[in-house]
Structures are given as structure tokens and as C-alpha cells.
Amino acid sequence: MQNREKYRFDDFTFENYTKLLNLAKTNGFTFINFDEAFDNKNRNLLWRHDVEFSPFVALKMAEAEKELQIKATYFFQLHCDFYNLLEKEIFDIAVKIKLMGHEIGLHFDAHFFGIDNEDKLDNAIKIELEYLNNLYDFNIKAFSFHNTNKFILSCEKEKYGGLINVYSKYFKDNFYYCSDSTGWWRFRRVEDVLKDDCIKNAHILTHEAMWSNEVLSPYKRIVKVLNDETERIKNNYIKSENAFGAIVVDDDRLII
């Protein structure tokens, strides 16, 4: 069996993403936010995005969801190696996603602080929440962990730092979990989860850079996103220089 079939590369296109959203609606799931998850009267679906590489791709997914009148939660990092929430273009994307009716959450990196106990965790989340509340007017309600390990998965309280913990025991016990982490389905294929009538509530995690227009391997999806970002930064540099009347000097040309 080739990797394309084994890891289901064909599942991870934007075309199929829209099909999955429609499938969830057709099969009776109600898309909810994490603060609404404590009412189990409906067949509820938590659709979560941990934004790891490209807010631009996240925006594309948010637009597809809005078109289908679906709401999701987008968790952004403050300590990301691949994007900066303080950059105006990225800042504006987060605002656009919120204005579409989606929720914004904190994608928290406990490794940045070297956290090894729940008191430190509680304090660090409070600090980041206060910062985000000053930066945005979002009324952030929930957080997700970045890069879980044994300690992080043992942190099962309902809230830390005043935010709902999406890895709490409550969600583990009451929602069937499915993830596309590293670009292939962890635990179970999401299409199968959405078709399973025995599953009352589901918690689906997606990562924006794991989806693309064409069928690609997980590695090539990431490389494409990184190459696109390199081009964007390069073009922004040229625009910035030109905007102030400067020229960019190359080996055999001037870029104006």
C-alpha cells in the first residue's frame, strides 16, 4: 500500500473539506462553541482549528464555514514560529474570522514557559489571556494546548486561568475526539466519525496547513504553506521599501 492510500492524502483537499462540513450538517450535528458544550440535549459538534502555520489558510476555511452558516473556534498562538499576531495583516485576519461569527481561542504553548505544574499553568494562561484581551476585543472563552505531552494531558480541570480547557475530563468523557494532527487522521477518519449514528457528540480538530487545493503529502502541504509565506514576506519587503521612495537593488536590476 502506498502512503497516498495509507494516510489518505485525497481526504485533505479544500473540496473535500467542504464535503465534510456538509456531511456533518446532513447527519444532524449542531455546530457549537465550547462554552455551549455543557448542554448535551442535541447532537453536538465542536469544530476546532489550532492555527499552527498560516492564518491565511485559516481565513479560507473560515470563509467556507461561514458560507454554510457553520461556526467553529480558531485557536491562535502568541508564541508561534510561523506567524505573528502583532503583524497588522495577521491581526486583521483574526478580526475578520471573529466578525464572521466564529470564536477565537488561545492556543497555549506550555513548553514556552517550561510549565510542569498546574499552578504555573494557571498563572501563565491568565497572563496570556490578559494580553489578548488588551490586544483584541474578543471575549476569549477557551484554550487548547500546543504539542501535548504526558503532563499536559493529565491537566483535566474544566478551567485554567479562567478559560475552558478543551482537554478537560468533561470533553474527553462526553465528546468523541478526532484529529488531523501531522496531516493524517488520528484515531479515526473524520468522514467515518460523522457517518456513525452511534456517536452523539464529536470534537473535531483540524490544522489549517494540513489542507490544500490539490492532493499532496502532509510534508508537501507544509512546504507549500511555508513557500507561500516566504513569497508574501518578500513582496511585503519590496512594497515597504517602495512606499517610502526607496529602491531594492538586486544583482542586475532595480526593483521599484
Side-chain angles (χ1 to χ4, degrees):
M1 180 185 293
Q2 297 295 313
N3 279 347
R4 176 170 177 168
E5 182 181 357
K6 180 179 179 181
Y7 295 100
R8 299 189 180 276
F9 293 1
D10 294 63
D11 279 8
F12 295 92
T13 64
F14 293 125
E15 180 181 1
N16 192 54
Y17 183 75
T18 302
K19 290 179 181 178
L20 292 173
L21 295 175
N22 276 309
L23 176 62
K25 291 183 67 175
T26 301
N27 286 359
F29 282 102
T30 299
F31 287 77
I32 63 169
N33 301 326
F34 282 89
D35 62 320
E36 299 171 322
F38 302 96
D39 177 1
N40 268 327
K41 294 179 181 178
N42 297 315
R43 193 179 192 208
N44 291 323
L45 181 58
L46 294 163
W47 201 279
R48 164 181 151 215
H49 300 267
D50 284 353
V51 183
E52 303 275 11
F53 292 92
S54 175
F56 297 92
V57 178
L59 178 60
K60 181 173 183 176
M61 300 175 90
E63 290 169 340
E65 292 156 358
K66 182 178 184 296
E67 191 169 323
L68 294 172
Q69 298 181 310
I70 285 169
K71 61 183 180 181
T73 305
Y74 286 77
F75 291 85
F76 285 90
Q77 294 185 55
L78 282 176
H79 307 289
C80 185
D81 293 331
F82 304 101
Y83 66 83
N84 177 10
L85 276 179
L86 294 179
E87 182 187 346
K88 185 65 168 66
E89 200 169 3
I90 306 303
F91 176 94
D92 287 345
I93 285 175
V95 172
K96 286 179 183 177
I97 290 175
K98 176 65 175 178
L99 291 175
M100 288 178 189
H102 302 299
E103 287 291 306
I104 301 297
L106 169 64
H107 193 33
F108 181 74
D109 186 2
H111 310 287
F112 180 87
F113 298 97
I115 292 174
D116 56 7
N117 67 66
E118 290 180 284
D119 287 337
K120 289 181 181 178
L121 175 62
D122 204 61
N123 290 331
I125 289 177
K126 286 178 182 177
I127 291 170
E128 296 208 351
L129 175 59
E130 182 179 7
Y131 181 83
L132 280 175
N133 281 337
N134 287 329
L135 185 62
Y136 297 100
D137 184 21
F138 281 167
N139 187 25
I140 293 170
K141 300 171 184 175
F143 81 93
S144 64
F145 284 111
H146 175 59
N147 287 343
T148 57
N149 58 22
K150 185 176 180 180
F151 164 72
I152 286 171
L153 291 176
S154 74
C155 298
E156 294 187 321
K157 291 179 183 178
E158 185 178 304
K159 288 188 175 183
Y160 291 98
L163 293 180
I164 295 169
N165 172 22
V166 308
Y167 285 93
S168 71
K169 188 175 188 302
Y170 175 81
F171 291 109
K172 291 176 182 177
D173 289 347
N174 291 284
F175 286 79
Y176 189 96
Y177 181 71
C178 181
S179 171
D180 69 355
S181 182
T182 68
W184 50 283
W185 298 119
R186 311 302 292 271
F187 314 113
R188 194 173 176 190
R189 191 184 185 198
V190 72
E191 181 178 333
D192 297 335
V193 171
L194 297 175
K195 288 179 177 178
D196 190 340
D197 292 334
C198 294
I199 294 175
K200 179 185 177 185
N201 300 313
H203 175 183
I204 307 298
L205 168 59
T206 66
H207 299 80
E208 81 299 332
M210 299 308 168
W211 300 79
S212 58
N213 285 323
E214 57 189 314
V215 177
L216 298 170
S217 70
Y219 174 73
K220 285 186 172 66
R221 288 176 229 149
I222 294 295
V223 169
K224 183 182 185 310
V225 165
L226 296 178
N227 286 340
D228 288 346
E229 180 63 6
T230 299
E231 282 298 305
R232 184 185 74 88
I233 294 172
K234 182 184 71 175
N235 291 331
N236 282 351
Y237 160 66
I238 294 170
K239 289 176 185 177
S240 173
E241 293 296 293
N242 291 169
F244 291 96
I247 59 173
V248 177
V249 181
D250 200 356
D251 289 331
D252 55 359
R253 61 175 178 157
L254 302 179
I255 304 175
I256 301 174

